[in-house]
């Protein structure tokens, strides 16, 4: 009798406290709720493009979809023109189970354990990404039963070795929840994780807490910690049973959580899904409106609800190179008839340093959709042509990565090229390779160059005729001049012309007699044992180099490290490409061995054939 009377009196006390609590909660919720944003990371490596990692919840506690939600960003006090969704990354969640089981809830303990096991299993909690902790409400506050763990077996092992035990006497529910809200940041294995509390309770506190019911909601809402409530039945509460359920609903609503019954499988699934919705955080990207270095403030808010906002600071290095791909927005679209066919694009970039110090770019690459497609010669970085092996239908992301003489690597802000398939190739003028479209300016320059070359040829021919005439007169005057000495390995089977080919003057035609190509290129002899001119003009579409005059157009007879037929230069377009001809010692360009498919030569490249060193020059 005494026990039943005591439970009845305690139930009446619950009713009084909860009635006052529900009234206070209703008053605390009169103002409309707003959502919350959290900035959990930043990246300035692609400056002047800035990336921010964010997650957020709306006024009802649902995850914000940043792929569809328009944002407003202020950088150093200046509004940003455009904010771009830049994908998601798994960051993880921390879920703290807070079990409030007094004497009347003893028969509910197995169901409570099963609910926690269900969450900490594949399909709900993602192992080694999410973490879970378990606490129980005691008379003097929350007691830790399981520290945060990222493993499913952490929960299984706990309940395999021990089980939940109901607390004898009253529990301090409100104080315990407020205490957990204050501790939860320190419990996160990763500070950027989204945290939430799952409160399993009948919703009653028989006056043992110092806090009021509305205090819990206010603390949770201010901390951005949603409290999901699982209501358990305690028949001893009588009229207080419904008031406890109402308080748990108000607590979840006020903190942007979900309120369900412990006995509802659908309700539990709704809570687990809500928690999982905050596992992945979004990356957003914007280009700074004002280029300054140092630490600057950044604010992010919902464009349609500016009260839902977050602030952070980003630090921008003044020593890092800042590279920008210069493509007008109206020129960022292509139409391709064949998506499998490579496309040549002309791109322009600018590189600068905020500290005003000009530095040398030592390496540069072009990335398309995250993959490297081309090395960019540093000297051509301002304007270069790149062959893109394959585009995708829709948006394609172009980036340029540069490394400067400090060893600092930076990535440009991405340029999004939209690709559609059509019957004809359509490339905007801004993306066309240099020289691919007609220009009167280029025509005038070409005519001027032709005139200069013609004048040079005329001058050369007249000088050669004068030299030949002078040589004839000299021979007639100096009949006693000794003959030119012939190297010891000269073969009688070689013709006289081939035998002396290593003494051919500059400009001599090496080919079969066809018209020479219009390319002004020559080789500078840096190091060679053979007596040969210091500059060797390249005057045909194919020039063979070796030791044998019979097999080579340019012969280094006295250099035994050079094979008889060592390498060949072939004109491809307006540049020469060098191939190794199966030589013994190999052919090298800038200390890199020439592969089977050859290497295209650029002005200033150093060529090595055995001990012979040459430098390629082209205007």
């Amino acid at each position: 009798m005494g026990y039943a009377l005591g439970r009845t009196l305690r139930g009446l006390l619950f009713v009084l406290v909860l009635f006052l609590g529900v009234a206070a909660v209703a008053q605390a919720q009169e103002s409309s709720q707003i959502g919350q944003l959290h900035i959990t990371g930043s990246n300035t490596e692609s400056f002047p493009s800035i990336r921010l990692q964010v997650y957020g919840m709306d006024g009802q506690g649902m995850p914000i979809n940043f792929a569809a939600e328009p944002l407003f960003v202020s950088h150093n006090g200046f509004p940003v023109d455009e904010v771009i969704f830049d994908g998601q990354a798994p960051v993880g969640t921390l879920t703290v189970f807070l079990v409030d089981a007094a004497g009347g809830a003893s028969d509910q303990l197995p169901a409570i354990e099963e609910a926690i096991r269900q969450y900490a299993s594949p399909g709900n909690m993602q192992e080694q990404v999410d973490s879970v902790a378990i606490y129980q409400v005691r008379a003097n506050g929350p007691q830790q039963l399981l520290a945060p763990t990222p493993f499913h077996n952490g929960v299984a092992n706990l309940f395999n070795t021990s089980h939940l035990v109901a607390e004898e006497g009253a529990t301090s529910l409100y104080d315990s929840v407020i205490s957990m809200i204050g501790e939860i940041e320190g419990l996160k294995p990763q500070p950027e994780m989204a945290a939430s509390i799952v409160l399993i309770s009948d919703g009653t506190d028989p006056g043992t807490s110092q806090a009021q019911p509305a205090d819990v909601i206010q603390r949770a809402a201010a901390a951005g910690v949603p409290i999901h409530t699982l209501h358990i039945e305690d028949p001893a509460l009588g009229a207080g049973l419904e008031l406890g359920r109402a308080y748990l609903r108000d607590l979840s609503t006020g903190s942007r959580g979900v309120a369900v019954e412990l006995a509802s499988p659908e309700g539990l699934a709704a809570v687990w899904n809500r928690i999982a919705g905050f596992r992945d955080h979004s990356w957003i990207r914007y280009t700074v409106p004002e280029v300054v270095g140092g630490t600057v403030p950044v604010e992010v808010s919902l464009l349609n609800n500016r009260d839902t906002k977050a602030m952070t600071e980003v630090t921008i290095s003044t020593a890092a190179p800042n590279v920008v791909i210069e493509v007008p927005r109206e020129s960022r679209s292509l139409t391709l008839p064949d998506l499998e066919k490579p496309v040549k694009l002309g791109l322009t970039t600018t590189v600068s340093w905020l500290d005003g110090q000009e530095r040398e770019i030592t390496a540069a690459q072009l990335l398309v959709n995250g993959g490297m497609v081309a090395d960019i010669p540093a000297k051509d970085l301002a304007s270069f042509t790149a062959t893109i092996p394959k585009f995708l239908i829709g948006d394609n992301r172009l980036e340029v990565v540069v490394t400067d003489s400090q060893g600092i690597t930076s990535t440009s802000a991405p340029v999004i090229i939209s690709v559609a398939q059509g019957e004809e190739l359509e490339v905007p003028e801004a993306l066309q390779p240099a020289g691919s479209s007609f220009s009167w300016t280029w025509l005038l320059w070409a005519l001027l160059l032709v005139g200069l070359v013609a004048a040079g040829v005329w001058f050369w021919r007249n000088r050669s005729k004068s030299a030949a005439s002078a040589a004839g007169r000299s021979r007639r005057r100096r009949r006693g001049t000794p003959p030119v000495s012939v190297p010891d390995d000269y073969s009688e089977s070689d013709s006289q012309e081939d035998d002396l080919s290593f003494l051919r003057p500059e400009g001599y035609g090496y080919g079969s007699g066809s018209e020479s190509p219009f390319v002004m290129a020559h080789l500078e002899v840096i190091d060679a044992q053979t007596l040969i001119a210091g500059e060797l003009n390249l005057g045909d579409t194919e020039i063979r180099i070796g030791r044998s005059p019979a097999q080579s157009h340019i012969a280094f007879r006295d250099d035994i490290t050079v094979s008889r037929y060592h390498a060949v230069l072939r004109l491809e377009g307006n540049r020469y490409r060098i191939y190794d001809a199966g030589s013994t010692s190999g052919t090298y360009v800038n200390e890199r061995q020439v592969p089977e498919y050859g290497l295209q030569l650029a002005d200033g490249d150093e060529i090595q054939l055995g001990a012979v060193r040459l430098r390629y020059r082209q205007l």
Side-chain angles (χ1 to χ4, degrees), residues 128-315:
Q128 299 191 65
V129 176
D130 300 321
S131 290
V132 61
I134 304 174
Y135 283 72
Q136 185 166 357
V137 177
R138 303 295 189 190
N140 59 349
Q143 177 188 355
Q144 186 183 83
L145 304 181
L146 178 68
T149 174
F151 299 104
H152 300 148
N153 283 341
V155 173
N157 292 337
L158 172 67
F159 292 141
N160 287 338
T161 56
S162 62
H163 294 281
L164 295 173
V165 178
E167 177 74 359
E168 295 297 332
T171 58
S172 57
L173 173 63
Y174 307 148
D175 286 350
S176 294
V177 178
I178 289 175
S179 175
M180 237 26 271
I181 293 170
E183 292 180 28
I184 201 163
E185 282 296 320
L187 293 175
K188 292 180 181 180
Q190 302 296 334
E192 62 269 22
M193 281 180 163
S196 59
I197 295 173
V198 177
L199 174 62
I200 307 175
S201 173
D202 59 19
T204 64
D205 188 334
T208 63
S209 292
Q210 299 297 315
Q212 297 300 313
D215 295 339
V216 182
I217 296 175
Q218 292 169 354
R219 295 287 186 89
V225 178
I227 299 178
H228 309 293
T229 59
L230 311 184
H231 180 256
I232 56 178
E233 299 277 350
D234 184 356
L237 293 177
L241 182 66
E242 187 55 41
L243 284 174
R245 179 182 285 112
Y247 175 70
L248 292 183
R249 283 197 302 265
D250 291 337
L251 177 57
S252 290
T253 301
S255 64
R256 307 177 187 87
V258 178
V260 300
E261 296 291 325
L262 175 66
S264 168
E266 296 81 5
L268 294 180
V271 174
W272 310 153
N273 288 336
R274 177 67 65 85
I275 293 171
F278 296 96
R279 176 182 299 130
D280 294 333
H281 296 190
S282 297
W283 283 103
I284 60 173
R285 182 189 290 271
Y286 66 89
T287 300
V288 301
E290 182 191 41
V291 180
V292 295
T295 300
V296 298
V298 176
E299 179 182 299
V300 180
S301 61
L302 301 184
L303 186 63
N304 299 322
N305 184 353
R306 297 289 297 279
D307 289 330
T308 302
K309 60 186 177 181
M311 295 193 66
T312 189
E313 289 184 335
V314 296
T315 301

Side-chain angles (χ1 to χ4, degrees), residues 421-442:
Q421 192 165 14
E423 295 183 359
E424 295 183 1
L425 177 67
E426 295 181 15
V427 180
E429 185 176 351
L431 290 175
Q432 292 179 7
S436 62
S437 59
F438 181 78
S439 168
W440 284 106
T441 302
W442 282 107

Side-chain angles (χ1 to χ4, degrees), residues 308-553:
T308 302
K309 60 186 177 181
M311 295 193 66
T312 189
E313 289 184 335
V314 296
T315 301
I316 299 162
S317 170
T318 59
N322 307 315
V323 57
V324 178
I325 305 176
E326 305 286 358
V327 180
R329 294 192 182 279
E330 64 273 13
S331 299
R332 300 182 181 184
S333 62
L334 300 174
T335 301
L336 305 178
D338 185 358
L339 295 174
E340 300 298 325
K341 188 175 180 180
V343 180
K344 282 189 176 182
L345 296 183
L347 296 172
T348 301
T349 64
T350 57
V351 183
S352 60
W353 290 261
L354 291 181
D355 58 11
Q357 298 294 320
E358 291 294 327
R359 299 177 176 90
E360 180 186 1
I361 297 297
T362 57
Q365 295 85 34
L366 175 65
L367 307 184
V368 177
N369 297 324
M372 199 273 281
V373 300
D375 284 315
I376 307 169
K379 64 183 181 61
D380 296 335
L381 186 58
S383 181
F384 63 93
T385 298
T387 299
I388 316 300
K390 186 176 181 180
F391 274 117
L392 304 176
I393 288 290
D395 289 345
N396 293 261
R397 184 161 131 173
L398 272 63
E399 298 166 290
V400 170
V401 180
V402 300
T403 303
D404 67 6
S405 54
Q406 309 168 98
I408 299 178
T409 298
S410 292
T411 306
S412 72
V415 168
I416 305 300
I417 302 295
S418 180
V419 174
Q421 192 165 14
E423 295 183 359
E424 295 183 1
L425 177 67
E426 295 181 15
V427 180
E429 185 176 351
L431 290 175
Q432 292 179 7
S436 62
S437 59
F438 181 78
S439 168
W440 284 106
T441 302
W442 282 107
L443 178 60
L444 291 175
W445 277 109
L447 291 174
L448 178 60
L449 187 59
V450 169
L452 291 174
V453 170
V457 170
W458 178 86
F459 175 77
W460 177 260
R461 286 181 176 176
N462 279 274
R463 191 180 73 171
S464 298
K465 288 178 182 179
S466 299
S469 175
R473 290 193 299 272
S474 177
R475 282 195 296 271
R476 286 192 293 273
R477 288 195 304 266
R478 300 172 58 192
R479 292 184 179 274
T481 302
V484 176
S485 61
V486 178
D488 295 336
D489 62 349
Y490 171 69
S491 171
E492 292 296 337
S493 62
D494 294 337
S495 67
Q496 184 178 3
E497 180 185 357
D498 280 336
D499 183 41
L500 300 178
S501 60
F502 68 99
L503 295 176
R504 289 169 179 165
E506 301 177 43
Y508 188 93
Y510 297 112
S512 59
S514 59
E515 186 178 352
S516 297
F518 182 64
V519 174
M520 299 184 69
H522 65 272
L523 297 176
E524 293 178 358
V525 180
I526 301 173
D527 192 7
Q529 295 297 317
T530 302
L531 178 62
I532 199 167
E535 290 188 3
L536 305 169
N537 286 343
L538 304 179
D540 210 338
T541 56
E542 180 174 298
I543 300 96
R544 297 189 295 276
I545 306 175
R547 181 163 51 89
S548 168
Q551 300 180 48
S552 307
H553 300 120

